[in-house]
Amino acid sequence: MRKFKFTLQSVHNVRELREEKEQTVFARLSKDASEAEERLFEVSRKILSAMNSYTHSMRGGTALDPVVLDLHSKHIAALERLKQRIIAEVEQKKSACREQAKRLSNAARDVKVTAKLREKQKAVHDLEAAKSEQNTLDEITSAKHARLAGETNG
């Protein structure tokens, strides 16, 4: 019996490699997005801490130093600007993740297509092999019956 050989195996292998590459890129982009979200959380925490410090200095009951108040205000404003930049970065990274997820999905679909095609080719191969084997058995059986019939007549 012939051994099964998938005619598009090299195409399937390339598609699997592409899927692995897309998965690796997706994992890296997801990690980058998570790290950006962590930075956003950290900056938000720093803003809250700076506001608490500012509020605490205002409630101190002592004379307010305008320079200190100005520094607090500028510090909070700088943190807010940083927060806005990080928010934009998070959105950009999430968008890149969504795009990469689409590419990964397409790559996975392509692998599934060639895998299904391989299954169909294998099924056809197995069916042809079974038919060939059955034909061989039928020929052997027919030859045996013909030989036995020849012996009884002769």
Side-chain angles (χ1 to χ4, degrees):
M1 181 168 85
R2 293 181 332 196
K3 183 179 174 185
F4 173 71
K5 179 166 176 31
F6 181 48
T7 56
L8 296 175
Q9 187 62 47
S10 59
V11 172
H12 184 70
N13 292 346
V14 168
R15 287 180 173 187
E16 285 181 326
L17 287 173
R18 179 175 163 243
E19 181 185 26
E20 288 175 21
K21 177 187 151 249
E22 300 295 356
Q23 180 64 41
T24 301
V25 171
F26 180 73
R28 181 183 47 79
L29 290 172
S30 295
K31 182 178 179 266
D32 290 349
S34 292
E35 289 172 354
E37 286 178 328
E38 287 174 21
R39 283 194 311 277
L40 180 60
F41 176 76
E42 185 62 29
V43 168
S44 295
R45 191 187 62 73
K46 285 180 180 180
I47 289 171
L48 184 59
S49 176
M51 291 179 128
N52 286 339
S53 176
Y54 182 73
T55 304
H56 178 67
S57 68
M58 301 257 316
R59 291 185 189 160
T62 60
L64 298 176
D65 185 358
V67 174
V68 172
L69 293 179
D70 187 46
L71 287 175
H72 277 294
S73 177
K74 286 180 180 177
H75 179 66
I76 292 170
L79 287 173
E80 283 292 340
R81 286 190 302 273
L82 178 60
K83 180 180 176 181
Q84 292 307 312
R85 284 195 306 270
I86 294 174
I87 287 172
E89 179 185 349
V90 166
E91 286 305 312
Q92 181 268 332
K93 290 185 182 298
K94 284 183 176 182
S95 175
C97 281
R98 286 189 296 273
E99 289 300 315
Q100 185 60 32
K102 289 176 189 175
R103 286 191 286 276
L104 177 58
S105 176
N106 289 339
R109 186 195 66 233
D110 290 347
V111 169
K112 271 187 175 179
V113 167
T114 53
K116 286 278 189 193
L117 186 57
R118 179 177 50 204
E119 288 174 16
K120 287 180 182 178
Q121 281 187 6
K122 175 83 167 108
V124 167
H125 174 269
D126 291 346
L127 182 63
E128 288 174 355
K131 283 181 183 178
S132 175
E133 188 176 320
Q134 186 62 45
N135 285 341
T136 302
L137 290 174
D138 288 347
E139 288 174 9
I140 291 171
T141 303
S142 295
K144 181 180 177 184
H145 285 294
R147 186 174 40 92
L148 289 175
E151 288 177 6
T152 55
N153 288 338

